[in-house]
Structure formats: C-alpha cells, structure tokens
Amino acid sequence: MSKSTDPAPDRVELDDLLEEVGHFGPFQLWQCSLLLLPVIFTAFSNLCYVFTAGDLHYRCLVPECETASGTTPYAPEWLRAAVPFGGKPQHPAKCDRYQVIPSSPDEFVCDESRFNRSAIERCTEFVYADPSERTILNDFDLTCEENLWKVTLVGTVHSIGQFVSLALSGIISDRFGRRWTLLLCVGVGAVLAIVRSFAGSYPAFITLEFVEAMFGSTSYTTAFILSLELVEPRLRVIVKSIILVAYALAEGLLGLLAMTFRNWRTLTIVLFVPGVLSIPLLYTTVESVRWLLTKDRQSDVVNILQRVAKANGRPPLPKSTLDEFYLQQKTKLEAEQRDGGGKKSFFQLVRETCRHRSLLLRIGNCAFCWFTNAMVYYGLTLNSVTLAGDKYSNFIFITLAEIPPSLAINFILNRFGRRKTQCGSLILSGVFCLLALTALKDITWLNVSLFLMSKMAISLSFSTLYIYTAEIFPTNLRQSFISFCSMVGRFGSMLAPQMPLLQALWAPLPMVLFGSVAVLSGILILEFPETTGVTLPNTLEEAIELHSRRKRSTEDAEKGSYASPG
C-alpha cells in the first residue's frame, strides 16, 4: 500500500485501506473491548434461567414433629421415619410423607411407631434445604411433579424466544445496520429482564421470559459480526477467541453472583442493570464498514477510516487512494446495475441464492451443523450440572472448562484450517459420547474424563462454527444466514432439556443420539470450502467461488485481499 506521497495503486480494496489506517491499533482495541459488553450480557440472558427457574431441595413439612419456621432443620434424625427417600438416599421425597398414626395429644414422639410406613400421603407445606434460596419454584408455588413442567418450560420458552429473534434480528441487521440492532437488543433486553424481576405471577414471568429472549439473547451474534468485520482476516481467530473467553468468564461470573444473591429477583437486577448503563458507551461504536460498503455508502466508510487513522496515529488516507477507491466502487455499482437492473434488494438476493444449488446445500449443511452443536453442547451441559456437589461450584467449573478450547483455536485453526478443525472436533465429541456407553462407564474417573473431553470437543466445535459460518457467506447476507443457521440450532437447544424423557425409554439413548449425530455432522462438514486466510466474501459470486478458488501465497493470505479463482 502506498503512502500519501506515492502514486495511487492500480486497484484499491477495502482491506488495503484497513491496512493503511492500522491493522489493530487503539481504535480497534477500544471498539472490540466495548463489544465484549453485549457478549457478557448475552451470557447472562442465555443462562440466567438456570438459577431463576432452578429446582430446589425440599421436603414435606411434618407438623407433628416440627413447625414451619425458617430454623426448622432440613434433615433431622427422625426424618427417615416420617418421609420416604426413594432412589436418592441423600435427598428425601419432595412431596410425599408417611401417614401419621393418631396418638395422645400429650405424647410427642417422632419415630417409626408414629408413622404408618405402608401408607403414603401428599403434603402441601414444605421445608427447604436452603431457606435463603428463592426461585420461581417457591415464589410461585411450583412444587411437586405436577408442576415440574412449568419449571422446565422456562428454558424451552427462552429458546423459542431466541428462535423468533434470530429470524428477525438477522434481517434487521443486514438491512438497517449492525450498530442499531446491537443498541436495540442490549437496551430493550436489559429493561425487559429488569421488569421480569418484578413479575407477580407465573404467566407474567413466562411471558417476559419469552419477550426478553427475543432481544437480549441475540446481542452476541451482532457484536461478533461487528468485531469480525472490523479486523483483517489473520486477526479473526484471535478476536473470536477473546469473545469466547469473555463469554465463558461471564458464565462463571453468573454462577458466582447466583451463589452470592440467592433471591432470583435480586440476582436479575444485579445482572441486567449494567446493560442499561452500558448504552451510552455502546453508542460510541461505529457501524461495520463492510456493511456500509454493500449499501453504497462509500463516504461513510471513508469518514470512519479517517477516524481510525487518526486514533491509531496514522496519516490521513491520501486523496489519490480515495479517488481510486471511489472510482472502483462506482464501477462495481454500475456493473451490478447493468447485470441486475439496479441495486438488489434483500429479497432479490435471497431469490438469487436459491438459484445456486451449491449455496443452498451449504446453507442446509451449516444449519444441520448448528443443530448438532446446540443439541450436544446444551445436552452435555444440562447433564453435567446433575453431578454431586455444590451446584454453584459445579456450574462455575463446567463453564470455565470452556476456556481451554476457546484459547486453543488460536493455534488449531490457523495450523489445521477451519474445515479439519470443525470436522475433527465434532467427530471426537461424538466418539467420546459413544465410548461413554461402553464398559468404560463403570470406571468412574474414566467416565468423567470422557464426559469432560466430549464437552471440550463440542466447545471447540462451537467456537469454530461462528467463525466458519461467517466466512462462507457474503457480507450483504452474512448475518441473515448466520441467524437462520443459529435459528435451526435452537431446535437442538429445545430438544436437549427433553433428554431425561428419552433416558426413561432407554438409558443409553441420549448419548447414542449425541454421538451418532455429531459424527455424521463431522463427516458432512468435509463438503465445506476451506476459508483460512481468505478475505470475507462480499457478494454471492465470491461466496460461491470459495469452492474453486486458487491456493494463495502466504503473502497474499496475510494481506487479506480476495483472490479470484484461477
């Protein structure tokens, strides 16, 4: 790239201008740091229901032996005489008690002689293992098996809200801009979550859970796209790695805050008030220059690039370079008008996509991969929190276990490429799931190790998937297609909580499903093009040409310019 004193280059691409103003200086660092805030709030939104609608340890109140005061012990010595324990020896039955044998009013005895152990009756008053812990279960009286579906429905409703939002936010973002979509999602989502903390009934809570998920849960995708389109190709993996680590740390912070604030209403306010306060900071972010370019707003692109140059301590872009850039973009626009009769609308672009069989197959394959990742990832996560021990500590440990694969993509993706990493991580996760069904499951430490390795493998796959999906679709439809694939993935996250029902039919069925689907998806990934070091495609034609592109030199790849197929 020439300096201001040099003649204008023959051809000026956007990546050349980004190189001129600085690859990753103070401006990009500040912007990417701000965009971590929506990532953190998305983690809070996506997993808050684990604690707000969490199940609790409770048992029947036995009035003949105790009172309903907060000091009533949860596990007194006489409890086994009064309450059945069932399949979990450490926890008594939640809603059943033995029938009391009448005795003299002056006699206070709480042993086996006081209860008829062959007759069981239901109870309506309860003693909680941790009286300070409040969730919607004890706030809205959702105890016992007949109300369990109302508690588990919260996670499903949240996923449905995400499903609807992904269908809308992608179209809005690609048509009206990433920045305004981000501000809308963060601001409205945080306000709705705070309002939800004041819900006085279950119907009000579940309605607000759905509406909040429509906004708050999609900030991640928009922030990711903005960050990705701000930096050059060789920094995409590093930026994604930082986002993944921030997301995992936010999940761990959620567990720590839930451990501190045991009341779900207080916890919700603590989590989401910062989202409202962050709006002025997020307002200072800039729109995606790649999106502006697809909207024929070259002057806005240049203004942002000049701001970047000034913040990074670089000289202003030379007039000769800008003139060449303007001329090149004008030529592109005129060519599109000649070929397509004018500027193509969003729906025209979608119709054009439908005419390309290879691109349609790519979208279908990508959607199945999202479904697989979501089902296996959330399925393993939900199974993991049932491990023995403190649920808060388990949650923190499990979420922080995602950090190693998040950091590993820096090395793995650039060394082995996107396709091999996506394929290998899915197959490994599936194989580990299937191995956990063999005789190895009887060795406790080995069974746990297989579980953790499968979780880490699917985390690596999910980490790769966001980058890979963004690199195989064109700029003017990128977020729409990512949102569509992610939307299909929500069916996987909706299915994951139903694994206990499948387990009741046949105990190994969930792990068989996880393993077989993951291996199948890993094999299908081999149909994707390799995109390591390739500039993000801006048009449908460039996205299609990814399959037939020539292998570029290392120097070209580091520069990040798009290479036409040879």
Side-chain angles (χ1 to χ4, degrees), residues 234-248:
R234 66 184 180 89
L235 294 178
R236 293 178 205 154
V237 179
I238 296 176
V239 170
K240 176 58 179 174
S241 179
I242 293 173
I243 290 175
L244 289 169
V245 171
Y247 190 88

Side-chain angles (χ1 to χ4, degrees), residues 343-360:
K343 197 176 189 302
K344 298 174 183 177
S345 68
F346 169 81
F347 294 103
Q348 286 175 320
L349 289 168
V350 172
R351 283 197 299 269
E352 185 175 330
T353 301
C354 294
R355 290 197 292 267
H356 296 284
R357 181 174 176 272
S358 62
L359 205 53
L360 283 177

Side-chain angles (χ1 to χ4, degrees), residues 459-473:
S459 296
L460 176 60
S461 175
F462 230 153
S463 303
T464 306
L465 187 58
Y466 265 97
I467 299 175
Y468 207 2
T469 306
E471 292 178 341
I472 60 177
F473 295 126

Side-chain angles (χ1 to χ4, degrees), residues 119-190:
I120 294 177
E121 60 184 17
R122 302 288 281 179
C123 55
T124 56
E125 293 184 89
F126 307 95
V127 175
Y128 292 88
D130 183 1
S132 66
E133 190 173 15
R134 305 289 299 182
T135 71
I136 65 169
L137 184 140
N138 46 5
D139 248 15
F140 301 143
D141 193 22
L142 304 178
T143 52
C144 301
E145 293 83 354
E146 59 268 23
N147 290 313
L148 182 60
W149 67 272
K150 293 183 180 180
V151 178
T152 58
L153 183 64
V154 175
T156 302
V157 166
H158 189 90
S159 294
I160 294 173
Q162 290 177 308
F163 180 89
V164 175
S165 70
L166 289 168
L168 298 176
S169 64
I171 296 175
I172 295 173
S173 177
D174 281 334
R175 293 193 68 180
F176 302 105
R178 284 44 163 150
R179 178 171 169 268
W180 285 109
T181 304
L182 184 70
L183 293 171
L184 177 69
C185 290
V186 174
V188 177

Side-chain angles (χ1 to χ4, degrees), residues 238-530:
I238 296 176
V239 170
K240 176 58 179 174
S241 179
I242 293 173
I243 290 175
L244 289 169
V245 171
Y247 190 88
L249 290 174
E251 291 176 320
L253 178 60
L254 170 60
L256 184 62
L257 291 174
M259 184 188 298
T260 304
F261 302 98
R262 300 295 180 98
N263 189 310
W264 72 273
R265 299 181 188 272
T266 306
L267 173 65
T268 302
I269 293 173
V270 170
L271 290 174
F272 291 100
V273 164
V276 177
L277 300 179
S278 71
I279 295 300
L281 277 175
L282 294 175
Y283 188 78
T284 65
T285 58
V286 297
E287 184 56 85
S288 163
V289 290
R290 296 184 186 276
W291 178 84
L292 291 171
L293 204 56
T294 65
K295 298 299 179 181
D296 192 25
R297 293 168 59 178
Q298 289 89 348
S299 59
D300 291 333
V301 172
V302 171
N303 289 336
I304 291 175
L305 291 176
Q306 296 289 28
R307 283 180 57 189
V308 176
K310 182 177 180 181
N312 289 346
R314 294 293 188 95
L317 292 172
K319 185 178 183 302
S320 57
T321 300
L322 294 179
D323 290 342
E324 180 62 29
F325 178 70
Y326 276 122
L327 179 61
Q328 179 180 314
Q329 297 304 315
K330 183 179 179 181
T331 302
K332 279 186 177 181
L333 180 60
E334 290 175 349
E336 289 178 0
Q337 290 174 339
R338 286 194 304 270
D339 297 337
K343 197 176 189 302
K344 298 174 183 177
S345 68
F346 169 81
F347 294 103
Q348 286 175 320
L349 289 168
V350 172
R351 283 197 299 269
E352 185 175 330
T353 301
C354 294
R355 290 197 292 267
H356 296 284
R357 181 174 176 272
S358 62
L359 205 53
L360 283 177
L361 291 175
R362 187 184 302 176
I363 295 169
N365 194 356
C366 185
F368 179 68
C369 187
W370 274 86
F371 171 84
T372 301
N373 275 269
M375 182 182 68
V376 177
Y377 177 88
Y378 285 106
L380 292 176
T381 300
L382 292 175
N383 285 345
S384 65
V385 295
T386 61
L387 297 174
D390 178 66
K391 68 177 181 180
Y392 300 102
S393 300
N394 288 342
F395 181 85
I396 294 171
F397 172 76
I398 291 164
T399 54
L400 294 183
E402 299 174 21
I403 293 180
S406 300
L407 295 175
I409 62 171
N410 281 317
F411 169 78
I412 296 174
L413 281 186
N414 288 327
R415 182 176 178 83
F416 299 102
R418 276 58 161 163
R419 182 169 54 187
K420 290 181 181 178
T421 302
Q422 189 77 72
C423 171
S425 57
L426 278 169
I427 291 178
L428 281 176
S429 180
V431 169
F432 289 143
C433 285
L434 295 175
L435 285 175
L437 298 173
T438 65
L440 298 176
K441 69 177 183 299
D442 298 325
I443 307 174
T444 303
W445 68 268
L446 192 53
N447 187 39
V448 173
S449 298
L450 287 171
F451 178 87
L452 289 177
M453 286 189 290
S454 181
K455 180 65 162 56
M456 294 180 71
I458 200 64
S459 296
L460 176 60
S461 175
F462 230 153
S463 303
T464 306
L465 187 58
Y466 265 97
I467 299 175
Y468 207 2
T469 306
E471 292 178 341
I472 60 177
F473 295 126
T475 298
N476 47 11
L477 290 170
R478 180 168 297 122
Q479 184 151 348
S480 293
F481 285 158
I482 290 179
S483 295
F484 170 76
C485 294
S486 182
M487 182 175 63
V488 175
R490 291 302 157 195
F491 286 106
S493 62
M494 292 177 200
L495 182 60
Q498 308 307 319
M499 288 301 126
L501 298 179
L502 298 181
Q503 196 170 21
L505 297 175
W506 183 44
L509 186 54
M511 296 301 279
V512 169
L513 185 62
F514 295 158
S516 57
V517 173
V519 171
L520 175 61
S521 182
I523 295 172
L524 292 176
I525 285 298
L526 295 175
E527 291 297 317
F528 278 179
E530 180 56 68

